Amino acid sequence: MTVTAKNLVWGAQRKTIVNNVSLDVAEGETLGLIGPNGSGKSSLLRLLSGLRAPLSGRVEILGQDIARVSRKTLARQLAFVQQNATTDTNVSVRDVVRLGRTPHRSALAGWTAADEAAVSAALERVEMAGRRAQAWQTLSGGERQRVHIARALAQSPRVMFLDEPTNHLDIHHQIEILRMVRRLDVTSVVALHDLNLAATFCDRIVVLQAGAVVACGTPAGVLTPPLLRDVFQVEAEVTFEPQTARPHIRFRAA
């Protein structure tokens, strides 16, 4: 397994936010995290990526306990894409992506041909190479998300964590971003709000409720009317796409 979490517990102000979570992510898999607001998706992502330390339990990336790995070494193995990352600095697209090379460079090292090749390759993969000189502030929301994914790719990670990367984007850009993530040759863990997007683009889904895992499996096995009723408090009909057998959820009006 590329990512393994064992009995993770984390909380704040005497409230347990992540409650005894265990999960595995296979190499090359896209795992979706879904759940109601406040279910612990973002907190779990930060624990898995090492941005937070658990109160108990552990996380292994590529067989290594991340608590025993240096931050720089960890940053060479994984990347984190937060939702709606912004900056007020007047920088170009290329400048933003160049930041992804930081874990691979020493404090006094100059910019190398390998660094430039990694940045160029990352921009090509997100189809933003033609915008490398464009000012960050002039980009649309979908374009900014592409650039942040390119910055993550410039780290040359084996694993990518994405926290609601489609939040506040129109449906076209939501599909575009997730389709692009699916095409990347990395293991991905993605927190998503839209259940149909999770069903379409994830290999497996973990459902969180009150910080605990209540279901884990394929979209077809997890996204059932009883679960949607119990966890999300909605009545829905679930049908299946003829060609892909992936579920499609239609919510019922009251």
Side-chain angles (χ1 to χ4, degrees), residues 136-148:
W136 165 261
Q137 299 289 1
T138 66
L139 299 178
S140 69
E143 290 166 343
R144 290 186 182 190
Q145 283 298 77
R146 282 180 175 271
V147 173
H148 277 293

Side-chain angles (χ1 to χ4, degrees), residues 12-249:
Q13 298 179 347
R14 299 183 180 180
K15 179 181 179 182
T16 300
I17 297 173
V18 175
N19 187 5
N20 199 35
V21 169
S22 297
L23 58 83
D24 294 305
V25 191
E27 183 176 0
E29 184 177 32
T30 298
L31 180 74
L33 301 180
I34 65 172
N37 290 340
S39 61
K41 299 187 296 295
S42 293
S43 295
L44 177 57
L45 271 185
R46 282 160 174 74
L47 292 171
L48 294 174
S49 60
L51 294 177
R52 284 180 179 155
L55 298 176
S56 62
R58 72 178 189 271
V59 177
E60 295 178 1
I61 303 288
L62 302 171
Q64 295 180 299
D65 186 339
I66 64 173
R68 301 176 182 273
V69 177
S70 71
R71 299 299 305 173
K72 190 167 187 175
T73 299
L74 196 60
R76 291 174 178 171
Q77 298 174 341
L78 62 87
F80 189 95
V81 179
Q82 61 182 318
Q83 57 175 297
N84 301 320
T86 60
T87 178
D88 294 325
T89 307
N90 185 21
V91 294
S92 69
V93 165
R94 178 175 175 271
D95 291 333
V96 173
V97 180
R98 278 169 59 104
L99 294 173
R101 296 303 298 165
T102 302
H104 297 274
R105 304 172 65 235
S106 63
L108 301 178
W111 190 253
T112 68
D115 292 325
E116 190 61 38
V119 168
S120 295
L123 285 167
E124 288 285 353
R125 288 171 76 182
V126 302
E127 300 179 359
M128 289 292 288
R131 305 285 191 92
R132 64 171 57 236
Q134 188 168 334
W136 165 261
Q137 299 289 1
T138 66
L139 299 178
S140 69
E143 290 166 343
R144 290 186 182 190
Q145 283 298 77
R146 282 180 175 271
V147 173
H148 277 293
I149 292 173
R151 181 177 68 176
L153 290 174
Q155 292 178 227
S156 302
R158 296 276 299 277
V159 185
M160 187 178 295
F161 298 96
L162 303 99
D163 188 7
E164 298 202 18
T166 61
N167 201 23
H168 302 310
L169 299 182
D170 60 48
I171 187 62
H172 169 73
H173 286 113
Q174 291 178 26
I175 293 171
E176 198 173 49
I177 290 291
L178 291 175
R179 184 175 289 143
M180 181 185 64
V181 170
R182 283 282 297 180
R183 290 199 299 262
L184 300 175
D185 53 347
V186 297
T187 302
S188 302
V189 183
V190 190
L192 290 169
H193 183 73
D194 188 298
L195 302 183
N196 278 311
L197 288 178
T200 300
F201 292 102
C202 296
D203 297 308
R204 287 189 304 133
I205 291 174
V206 168
V207 184
L208 295 174
Q209 185 178 33
V213 175
V214 295
C216 178
T218 64
V222 166
L223 295 173
T224 64
L227 180 134
L228 297 172
R229 183 183 308 115
D230 293 343
V231 175
F232 295 94
Q233 308 298 306
V234 294
E235 296 293 333
E237 177 185 355
V238 179
T239 57
F240 296 88
E241 300 293 338
Q243 295 183 343
T244 65
R246 287 184 176 268
H248 177 76
I249 302 167

